[in-house]
Amino acid sequence: MERIIVTVEPDLEGLIDGFLVSRQLDSEKLQTAIVEHDFEEIRNIGSSLKQAGSSCGFDFISIIGTKIEMAGTQKNKLGAEIALDAFNWYLGRIRTEVFGEG
């Protein structure tokens, strides 16, 4: 499986494991919201991902968060499902490295 390497700043190193666990929980919540057609929750999760990704250097999470937020706003279930698939694909391939190490 091809890995996606994300380089993080040394001061964030201790936070990354918790950050990724939280994103996995977001994925599970998003799956539930999609099944329940809870577009407000889909929008909220997307908005949260959009902000969280950029704060820790995970730009792809921010991009996917934007897509999820848009799907929730537009009540687009298929769009939310596609974005969730991309999000899960990404989460399954991330490997982090600390800037300056390697």
Side-chain angles (χ1 to χ4, degrees):
M1 171 177 16
E2 184 178 332
R3 292 284 179 194
I4 298 168
I5 298 172
V6 177
T7 304
V8 298
E9 295 293 328
D11 58 333
L12 295 176
E13 181 179 16
L15 304 174
I16 296 304
D17 287 342
F19 174 84
L20 293 175
V21 167
S22 292
R23 302 301 66 87
Q24 186 61 45
L25 293 173
D26 287 336
S27 172
E28 293 168 14
K29 289 181 203 172
L30 182 57
Q31 178 63 49
T32 299
I34 290 169
V35 168
E36 295 176 354
H37 295 207
D38 186 347
F39 293 106
E40 184 66 22
E41 180 67 4
I42 292 168
R43 188 191 66 74
N44 290 338
I45 292 168
S47 179
S48 175
L49 290 174
K50 184 171 65 172
Q51 295 170 12
S54 61
S55 69
C56 288
F58 291 85
D59 296 334
F60 187 78
I61 291 177
S62 291
I63 292 166
I64 287 296
T66 300
K67 302 284 187 193
I68 293 167
E69 182 179 31
M70 188 180 309
T73 299
Q74 296 173 348
K75 299 184 181 191
N76 180 348
K77 183 180 177 189
L78 180 59
E81 290 171 335
I82 292 168
L84 175 59
D85 285 346
F87 184 45
N88 286 332
W89 175 87
Y90 180 77
L91 288 177
R93 286 164 179 74
I94 294 174
R95 190 178 112 211
T96 58
E97 292 182 351
V98 177
F99 182 75
E101 294 182 4

